[in-house]
Structure formats: structure tokens, C-alpha cells
Amino acid sequence: MKRQPQVVYLGSAGDLFARIGETLTRGDLDCELVAAGDSDNGLASAERADLVIAPLPDESNREQLLATIRGRYPDSPLICVTPRLDAEQAVDLVRLGATDLVLDDHLERLVPAMSRLLGGATGISSPERLARELESLQQEFKAFCHSVSHDLRAPLTIIDGFSKAILEDCADQLDDQGRTYLERIRVASCRMSRLIEALLTLSRLNRAPFHPEETDVSAIARTIEQELRYLHPERTVSVSIADNMTALADRRQLRTVIEQLLKNAWKFSEKQPEARIEVGETTREGITVFFVRDNGAGFNMAYADNLFAPFQRMHRTEEFPGDGIGLALVQRIVHRHGGQIWAEAEVDRGATFYFTLQ
């Protein structure tokens, strides 16, 4: 008989705790909900946590709180319950360690989220129920994507448009500081637009058609190399691409993988006086392994676990611009093909990304 999973609520047994308990009861979720208190002592009082629920009031120091939680429960899934949430806050919370996010006026989302995160430990095994929860999640996800695509983009477009209009039409009425403020507003709104587009790109992947076919990997790599040379004529980069590399893959998605890896190699090798990039293949245990290697900035392998997480970056934006979404997209495509991806690197001595497609 499976033990009852323990869910630790990091707060006192107040109104929100009671509402969460009622929600789980209505959802027939078989688990033990424990209130661990508001302090660090409360964190320590709950020795075991199959899942952690953390309420995040507006006034809380979120970064410090999540760091404390992750220090106490490094391997437990973490659901943050918050009164309000925008896209940028969501990105920050995920970056700080949240596994899922739920608004406190939509607690019904806890049941499918917890069922998914707790897996078989919950005792929920009805195929009909799982199908209903999956359908509910899909509908919520579609609504979320629609909201991100339309409701969030519209105000950003207005902010950017009016900021530009003020800069153009009222420039003589602004001092240097005023113009700087408006430029920073425009930069921030553009960055937010890019983050939204990145989220949508990730969300669309699993719904995209998937048509594996025999694909010329070498030809794809050479096409991308030509595009990079056209876009960056000032760069002198030695690129070596192995001949006759082929794979059974979705051609369009495989192109995204190679394009992202080649662009990264091109970008992170830009400070090398003699930049070198190699695209090739090898065999390990009878499986074809493709690789993209460069002699660029590299990274510290101590942080390799975060390499493919969305919005996780190994370098400061000031050094190498980017949104931190490319490798997450690459990993999802590789996994969709049934393959694996990993990397080897050394700071200032380059990186090699390996991937399989089976």
C-alpha cells in the first residue's frame, strides 16, 4: 500500500490553509496537508515534504524566502500561491525555484498541479479522471497562451508606442534625465515582448506537427553557416562541418536545434581572435551522437544542471545578449525525438553540445 504523500504548507493554519484543504478535499486528492508555520523554525519542523506549498504575500521578500525554502527542501516540488501575478513575476519565480504557480483566487488549479507533481504517490489512478484533468489543463493552457499573446502584448505595445511618440514629439521639452527614463521604458517593454514571444514559442512546440523523415544534417548546418556569415560579415570564423551527416528527424525542428546551437557557438566565440566552430558526429554505444563545438567563452560545469532551464543564463546579458530560452527549446525538441542533449565546457576554453535523436 502506498504511503500517503505529505504536503507541507509553509504558513500558519489560517484562512488560506483552510481553503486549500477544502479544495483538496473536493478534488479527492489523497494527501496529508501539514501547516509548518511562518518562520524558519516552521520550515525545520516538517522533516519530510513530498510537495511544498508556499504562500507569497505581496510584502514578502520573495527571493530570500524561496532561497530558504530551496535550502530546506532542495528536491521537493514547490507550488507558490500568490494574490497576483504578471508574466515577468512568473519568470522570476520560476528562476528562483518555483515548480508551479497558482493564484489564490484560482485554488482549483492546485488539484491537477499537485496530481501531476506528486505522480503515483497520490493514489489517483482512474484513467477517466486523469483524462478529465488533462483536458482541463489543456484548456487552461490554451487560455493562458491566449492571455499572454493578446492581453499582455497590447499594453506593452501602447507603452512602447507612446514612449516613442513622447521622445519624438516632445524631445525639446525633456531634459537628458527625462529622455533616459523614456529610453529605459522602451528597452524594458521590448525585453518583455521578447520574453512573451519566448514563452509562446515554448508553448507551441508540443502542439506543432511532427513529421520525421530522412534529413541531411550537413546541408542544414551549411545553410545556417552561410546565413550567419551574411548577417555578420565583420566576423572571421573558421567553421568545419562534417560531410554526409543524416538523421531521421522532423526537418523543421531539427533545423531549429542546429540553428540555435550554431548561433550560440558563433555568439560565444566572438571575443576569440581566431574563432573556431565544428559540427560533427560520433558514435557512442552504437548510437549516433551529433555535436557542435566552439572555442569561445565556455562556462562553469558546476552550473550545468541549469543549462537547459528556461531563462537560465551562464553569462551576464551585458557580455552576451539573449533571452535564455534557446537551449530550453533545443532540449524539448531533442526529447520529442526521443533523444538526449548534454554539454561539456571549460571557462574561456569553449563548449561542446552533444545530442542524440533516438
Side-chain angles (χ1 to χ4, degrees), residues 145-193:
C145 290
H146 182 275
S147 176
V148 168
S149 181
H150 300 281
D151 299 343
L152 294 182
R153 274 180 165 172
L156 280 174
T157 302
I158 293 171
I159 291 170
D160 183 57
F162 277 106
S163 299
K164 181 180 179 182
I166 293 172
L167 282 169
E168 292 177 349
D169 301 340
C170 308
D172 56 345
Q173 302 175 42
L174 298 171
D175 58 14
D176 290 342
Q177 188 177 51
R179 285 190 289 272
T180 298
Y181 287 162
L182 284 170
E183 289 289 358
R184 292 178 66 179
I185 290 172
R186 294 200 67 203
V187 169
S189 63
C190 288
R191 179 175 180 270
M192 192 67 209
S193 293

Side-chain angles (χ1 to χ4, degrees), residues 65-258:
L65 176 59
L66 265 67
T68 302
I69 295 170
R70 276 301 172 216
R72 177 65 182 85
Y73 303 106
D75 301 319
S76 301
L78 170 62
I79 298 179
C80 293
V81 180
T82 180
R84 62 169 71 76
L85 192 68
D86 58 33
E88 189 167 12
Q89 290 171 332
V91 170
D92 285 341
L93 290 174
V94 171
R95 176 180 58 83
L96 292 169
T99 311
D100 206 340
L101 310 169
V102 174
L103 292 172
D104 60 12
D105 56 354
H106 289 284
L107 292 180
E108 67 278 0
R109 282 204 61 242
L110 274 173
V111 173
M114 291 173 62
S115 298
R116 173 173 52 83
L117 293 172
L118 289 171
T122 61
I124 298 177
S125 57
S126 165
E128 295 80 7
R129 177 174 183 138
L130 290 175
R132 289 196 303 270
E133 291 178 354
L134 179 59
E135 183 179 359
S136 175
L137 281 173
Q138 288 174 335
Q139 293 302 321
E140 288 181 12
F141 188 66
K142 288 179 181 179
F144 170 76
C145 290
H146 182 275
S147 176
V148 168
S149 181
H150 300 281
D151 299 343
L152 294 182
R153 274 180 165 172
L156 280 174
T157 302
I158 293 171
I159 291 170
D160 183 57
F162 277 106
S163 299
K164 181 180 179 182
I166 293 172
L167 282 169
E168 292 177 349
D169 301 340
C170 308
D172 56 345
Q173 302 175 42
L174 298 171
D175 58 14
D176 290 342
Q177 188 177 51
R179 285 190 289 272
T180 298
Y181 287 162
L182 284 170
E183 289 289 358
R184 292 178 66 179
I185 290 172
R186 294 200 67 203
V187 169
S189 63
C190 288
R191 179 175 180 270
M192 192 67 209
S193 293
R194 290 196 303 271
L195 290 176
I196 289 172
E197 185 57 39
L199 284 170
L200 291 173
T201 299
L202 278 177
S203 73
R204 285 191 289 259
L205 178 60
N206 288 336
R207 293 176 288 142
F210 184 70
H211 301 298
E213 59 182 318
E214 195 67 24
T215 303
D216 189 333
V217 179
S218 299
I220 292 176
R222 290 194 177 95
T223 299
I224 296 168
E225 177 199 357
Q226 293 170 4
E227 293 173 358
L228 288 170
R229 292 193 186 280
Y230 176 79
L231 292 171
H232 306 277
E234 76 286 357
R235 292 285 305 278
T236 300
V237 183
S238 172
V239 180
S240 171
I241 299 174
D243 296 326
N244 303 318
M245 293 187 295
T246 61
L248 181 64
D250 183 288
R251 185 184 305 274
R252 183 179 59 82
Q253 293 188 19
L254 180 58
R255 190 189 195 284
T256 299
V257 169
I258 299 173

